Amino acid sequence: MIAVGIDAGSTATKAVLIDGDKIKALIRPTGWSPRQAGRDIYAELLNREGYSAKQIDKIVATGYGRIALDLAQQKVTEITCHAKGAAFLLPGADMVIDVGGQDSKVIKIDPKGKVLDFAMNDKCAAGTGRFLQVTAAALGLDVSELPEFSQVEKPVNINNICTVFAESEIIGLLAQGIKKEAIVAGLHLAVAKRVAAMVKRMSSGKQIVFTGGVALNHSVQKYLEQELGTKLYVPKYCQLAGALGAALLGLEV
């Protein structure tokens, strides 16, 4: 059986194909249309790996744009798919922290990747990739540059976790002559504290998987580990957990 999982996120769309022991994956920007992004990445993945659509037995969609993915036979919540994918990436994991472009979530799971409990911040940009993207722009930086800008400086305290107010606060800090490096470190610490508070409300796990695009930021990882007092496991393909989980669920039905 061959299954494809597609995770239509706010920033990136991810696709994973599973054929026996073979796992193939692709990541592309979502752009303005999750539906088109899903169609394009599916076609590109099959073409690149030498598969035809007739060979695919199941397509499962997840992510905020999953409703728009009309090529999928099944649509599953991000919580369920991230839990399944994380359990595959780290056997024995009991908690998932996922920080994506639009939301952040903490999921407690059993060894098979079944969701036991979860908390989610999807009401505002605080503690998400969007917060870092907007504040990076206020500093004249691309969000991909942020990790290297927080290497050595002691973090400055960022009082406003609301994206709009934080942007204004950054402008004020720059006017005071505060170095960008200290501000960036402060932003990372602010995100880490926000996410850590969600984790602590659920009681921290023993083996925690950190996924999502923000998991690529090693500075956020460092501060999050400090706040939680434990190491986090960041998979090499941390952005693919949702799509991987969707593909795994496709194999089960």
Side-chain angles (χ1 to χ4, degrees):
M1 184 170 184
I2 305 174
V4 173
I6 302 175
D7 179 3
S10 61
T11 304
T13 295
K14 291 77 71 177
V16 170
L17 180 151
I18 302 178
D19 177 8
D21 294 335
K22 292 188 291 186
I23 298 179
K24 306 295 182 182
L26 201 57
I27 301 175
R28 291 288 182 265
T30 297
W32 62 273
S33 171
R35 176 179 298 175
Q36 193 58 48
R39 289 174 176 173
D40 290 348
I41 199 170
Y42 177 69
E44 184 180 352
L45 180 61
L46 265 55
N47 182 58
R48 192 189 71 178
E49 302 299 335
Y51 289 88
S52 71
K54 290 182 179 178
Q55 293 177 273
I56 308 304
D57 299 296
K58 190 79 175 184
I59 305 171
V60 179
T62 189
Y64 99 102
R66 65 184 181 276
I67 300 301
L69 298 187
D70 50 4
L71 77 170
Q73 293 111 334
Q74 187 178 0
K75 296 162 186 176
V76 182
T77 68
E78 299 151 85
I79 299 293
T80 299
C81 289
H82 276 84
K84 193 72 176 178
F88 181 88
L89 292 168
L90 179 64
D94 57 359
M95 177 171 277
V96 186
I97 298 173
D98 182 85
V99 183
Q102 188 168 265
D103 61 40
S104 52
K105 39 195 171 285
V106 178
I107 313 165
K108 296 201 78 168
I109 62 175
D110 73 5
K112 293 184 178 180
K114 181 182 177 182
V115 177
L116 300 176
D117 196 7
F118 72 94
M120 189 169 183
N121 167 33
D122 60 353
K123 302 301 182 187
C124 71
T128 71
R130 178 65 178 163
F131 175 81
L132 293 176
Q133 187 177 33
V134 171
T135 51
L139 290 163
L141 300 172
D142 183 83
V143 70
S144 63
E145 298 177 277
L146 292 181
E148 301 309 317
F149 263 82
S150 65
Q151 287 291 315
V152 294
E153 293 287 341
K154 182 180 178 182
V156 69
N157 187 44
I158 303 293
N159 295 307
N160 294 292
I161 192 66
C162 170
T163 303
V164 176
F165 293 124
E167 193 175 5
S168 299
E169 186 176 353
I170 289 167
I171 293 170
L173 291 169
L174 289 172
Q176 295 171 40
I178 305 295
K179 290 183 178 180
K180 283 186 181 181
E181 287 84 349
I183 298 173
V184 171
L187 292 169
H188 290 163
L189 180 57
V191 169
K193 285 185 174 181
R194 176 86 176 189
V195 175
M198 291 174 61
V199 175
K200 291 173 182 174
R201 283 198 293 271
M202 297 181 65
S203 75
S204 185
K206 293 180 179 177
Q207 292 198 74
I208 305 174
V209 185
F210 186 21
T211 64
V214 175
L216 295 169
N217 186 323
H218 55 75
S219 178
V220 173
Q221 178 193 349
K222 179 188 73 175
Y223 288 123
L224 191 50
E225 289 177 339
Q226 285 180 7
E227 291 296 314
L228 295 175
T230 189
K231 294 291 290 183
L232 303 178
Y233 173 73
V234 180
K236 182 178 180 181
Y237 303 107
C238 55
Q239 292 174 281
L240 295 172
L244 176 62
L248 289 168
L249 288 167
L251 294 175
E252 292 181 354
V253 294

